[in-house]
């Protein structure tokens, strides 16, 4: 007897019935760029990321309201401060751009929206690196103290989740110990445990003004050819107290998401990064891609690989279409 798998593909209804992976609003997290230099409801388009913006603090609150109204469960905040220096002091200022934004969003929305704050130094340092620099070297242990101060300041502002993205060794343990010491044992840590030294971050660095002023980040972000090392990094971060794990980028690293999903009993996320976004948008603008189809396929494939949640710049648009 001839086996005919095509019988289960003959029309859309039967394809929907047997689809193994589905995308929902609950899978999505929307990034918000908050620029301390903008006022009122001012926003500024990011040239390398069409239809994406930097918002003022006030504007970011309105954006968060729209996101919550769409049924998206969470946002992740990235700050662009007025002041940058060698030690990222604006990042842990209790009246810093992200600290104010957290308080404002929580005052307006409470538990209607999860607020996640990226924990890193790159947007706040004059040199653009993710750690303290001395004689051209990025110092690991000295950076942990700063990261812990940043995370604590976010917790004090009411954040739900802190997300260290720096890739310093031991930062999850340092942050967890600091949070618990100060009574914030219920603040969740989402670790960028497998963050690769990728070529897909360019548009984000434009958006967040976070490009390094010298060298690159290959001495702390992961080598693009390594998979077993990613499993080691994830295992260490879970042991140190991470509750959620993030793989970044997502689309070129679907194998890493799948390996992590198969090995670890914690939620695994994928960050569909700015370069992935820009590729699809550019292709669509040139008539080379079906834009909506490419967006859904990209996100569905990240979920199919094993992602429990996806950070994506398309979150608002996809949520409105689902």
């Amino acid at each position: 007897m001839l086996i005919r798998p095509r019988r289960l593909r003959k029309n859309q209804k039967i394809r929907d019935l047997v689809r193994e992976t589905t995308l929902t609003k609950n899978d999505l997290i929307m990034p918000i760029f908050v620029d301390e230099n903008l006022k009122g409801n001012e926003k500024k388009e990011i040239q390398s990321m069409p239809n994406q913006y930097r918002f003022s603090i006030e504007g970011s609150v309105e954006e968060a309201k729209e996101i919550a109204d769409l049924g998206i469960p969470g946002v992740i905040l990235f700050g662009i401060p007025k002041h940058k220096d060698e030690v990222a002091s604006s990042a842990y200022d209790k009246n810093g751009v992200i600290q104010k934004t957290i308080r404002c969003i929580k005052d307006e929305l409470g538990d209607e929206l999860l607020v996640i704050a990226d924990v890193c130094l790159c947007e706040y340092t004059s040199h653009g690196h993710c750690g303290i620099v001395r004689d051209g070297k990025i110092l690991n242990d000295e950076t942990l103290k700063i990261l812990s101060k940043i995370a604590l300041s976010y917790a004090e502002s009411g954040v739900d989740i802190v997300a260290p993205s720096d890739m310093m060794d031991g930062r999850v343990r340092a942050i967890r110990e600091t949070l618990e010491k100060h009574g914030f044992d219920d603040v969740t840590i989402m670790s960028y445990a497998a963050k690769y030294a990728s070529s897909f971050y360019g548009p984000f660095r434009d958006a967040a003004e976070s490009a390094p002023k010298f060298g690159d980040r290959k001495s702390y972000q992961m080598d693009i050819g390594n998979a077993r090392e990613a499993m080691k990094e994830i295992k260490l971060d879970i042991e140190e107290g991470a509750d959620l794990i993030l793989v970044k980028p997502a689309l070129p690293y679907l194998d890493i998401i799948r390996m992590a999903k198969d090995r670890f009993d914690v939620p695994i996320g994928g960050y569909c990064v700015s370069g992935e976004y820009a590729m699809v948008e550019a292709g669509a603008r040139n008539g080379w891609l079906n834009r909506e189809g490419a967006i859904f396929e990209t996100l569905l494939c990240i979920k199919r690989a094993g992602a429990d949640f996806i950070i994506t710049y398309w979150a608002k648009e996809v949520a409105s279409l689902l």
Side-chain angles (χ1 to χ4, degrees):
M1 180 179 68
L2 179 63
I3 304 299
R4 296 184 185 273
R6 286 184 58 193
R7 283 194 288 260
L8 298 181
R9 301 196 290 267
K10 65 183 179 181
N11 61 48
Q12 189 61 50
K13 289 298 181 184
I14 199 163
R15 291 193 295 271
D16 290 344
L17 181 69
V18 300
R19 172 164 279 182
E20 299 170 27
T21 305
T22 55
L23 191 67
T24 75
K25 295 178 183 181
N26 288 331
D27 299 320
L28 306 175
I29 296 169
M30 181 73 192
I32 301 179
F33 295 100
V34 191
D35 189 339
E36 195 174 20
N37 302 289
L38 301 179
K39 301 298 180 186
N41 283 320
E42 188 180 0
K43 66 180 183 180
K44 183 178 180 182
E45 187 168 16
I46 300 160
Q47 294 302 311
S48 53
M49 298 174 68
N51 302 315
Q52 299 299 313
Y53 298 86
R54 294 184 193 174
F55 295 92
S56 65
I57 293 174
E58 296 88 341
S60 69
V61 176
E62 294 305 311
E63 179 74 357
K65 287 179 184 177
E66 288 186 25
I67 290 165
D69 287 343
L70 285 167
I72 296 167
V75 295
I76 183 165
L77 306 178
F78 300 94
I80 298 95
K82 287 181 179 178
H83 171 72
K84 300 189 180 199
D85 58 30
E86 293 289 307
V87 295
S89 61
S90 293
Y92 53 85
D93 184 339
K94 292 187 178 182
N95 288 308
V97 59
I98 295 302
Q99 290 81 354
K100 287 180 181 177
T101 304
I102 293 166
R103 291 195 292 268
C104 289
I105 293 175
K106 281 300 178 183
D107 286 346
E108 287 284 339
L109 295 171
D111 291 336
E112 291 179 47
L113 187 71
L114 286 171
V115 177
I116 307 164
D118 181 79
V119 178
C120 198
L121 276 63
C122 58
E123 294 119 298
Y124 302 90
T125 53
S126 50
H127 47 71
H129 275 285
C130 302
I132 300 298
V133 174
R134 186 181 302 149
D135 299 326
K137 291 182 66 175
I138 289 79
L139 305 180
N140 192 93
D141 294 1
E142 290 82 347
T143 300
L144 301 185
K145 300 170 188 175
I146 306 297
L147 294 167
S148 297
K149 290 171 72 173
I150 298 169
L152 179 60
S153 72
Y154 292 163
E156 291 171 339
S157 300
V159 82
D160 296 296
I161 302 172
V162 293
S165 61
D166 54 283
M167 288 301 286
M168 299 296 127
D169 294 338
R171 90 267 204 211
V172 172
R173 184 186 304 278
I175 290 170
R176 176 57 72 203
E177 288 175 352
T178 298
L179 292 175
E180 302 224 347
K181 179 182 176 182
H182 289 85
F184 294 105
D185 51 288
D186 59 343
V187 172
T188 301
I189 297 177
M190 179 175 75
S191 172
Y192 291 67
K195 181 177 180 180
Y196 284 83
S198 172
S199 298
F200 287 89
Y201 301 150
F204 176 94
R205 291 174 182 173
D206 292 340
E209 296 182 356
S210 61
K213 297 292 190 294
F214 68 90
D216 54 40
R217 294 177 176 155
K218 292 181 179 180
S219 70
Y220 45 101
Q221 294 178 357
M222 282 189 54
D223 188 282
I224 62 174
N226 293 356
R228 292 193 303 272
E229 183 184 14
M231 299 305 105
K232 179 181 180 180
E233 290 279 5
I234 292 169
K235 181 175 182 288
L236 286 170
D237 281 5
I238 294 169
E239 289 172 352
E240 290 180 14
D243 305 288
L244 307 167
I245 294 298
L246 194 60
V247 176
K248 181 180 180 183
L251 198 59
Y253 297 89
L254 297 180
D255 58 325
I256 306 302
I257 293 173
R258 172 45 57 190
M259 288 173 69
K261 183 71 171 179
D262 289 344
R263 292 189 186 203
F264 302 108
D265 294 323
V266 300
I268 307 294
Y271 195 144
C272 186
V273 300
S274 60
E276 298 168 57
Y277 177 91
M279 283 195 306
V280 172
E281 294 293 335
R285 286 190 172 204
N286 282 283
W288 300 332
L289 292 174
N290 175 320
R291 181 177 178 277
E292 187 175 306
I295 291 169
F296 273 96
E297 184 175 348
T298 296
L299 299 181
L300 190 66
C301 290
I302 294 168
K303 187 173 181 187
R304 191 194 65 224
D308 297 292
F309 58 92
I310 304 168
I311 300 174
T312 172
Y313 302 99
W314 290 305
K316 281 180 68 181
E317 181 177 354
V318 169
S320 68
L321 293 170
L322 286 171

